[in-house]
Amino acid sequence: KNMNKQEVIEHGIDVFGTREDFEEWLNSPNFFFDHEKPITFMNTKKGLKFIDDRLTGMEYGIMFNIKFL
């Protein structure tokens, strides 16, 4: 499924509990995004899907959110 920006934002808020916590995650360098900020991936359909997949992984414990590596 092709995700749009609003769907990814809503998913992120669901995962993190607040918009502020999700925005902090989006704006922090992240190991799973090659040490880039996830927000830099939000401008393409492929990037939105990648972010959404990481959010799903966090929901189901498939991976850890390591933002300080």
Side-chain angles (χ1 to χ4, degrees), residues 46-65:
K46 190 174 181 180
L48 288 170
K49 172 100 172 75
F50 188 67
I51 292 170
D52 192 63
D53 288 348
R54 303 293 72 77
L55 292 170
T56 299
M58 284 184 250
E59 281 182 300
Y60 293 98
I62 296 167
M63 55 179 237
F64 297 101
N65 176 29

Side-chain angles (χ1 to χ4, degrees), residues 9 21 23 30 34-35 38 47 50 67 69:
I9 290 168
D21 287 347
E23 287 176 357
N30 188 293
D34 199 24
H35 302 283
F50 188 67
K67 70 180 187 182
L69 288 180

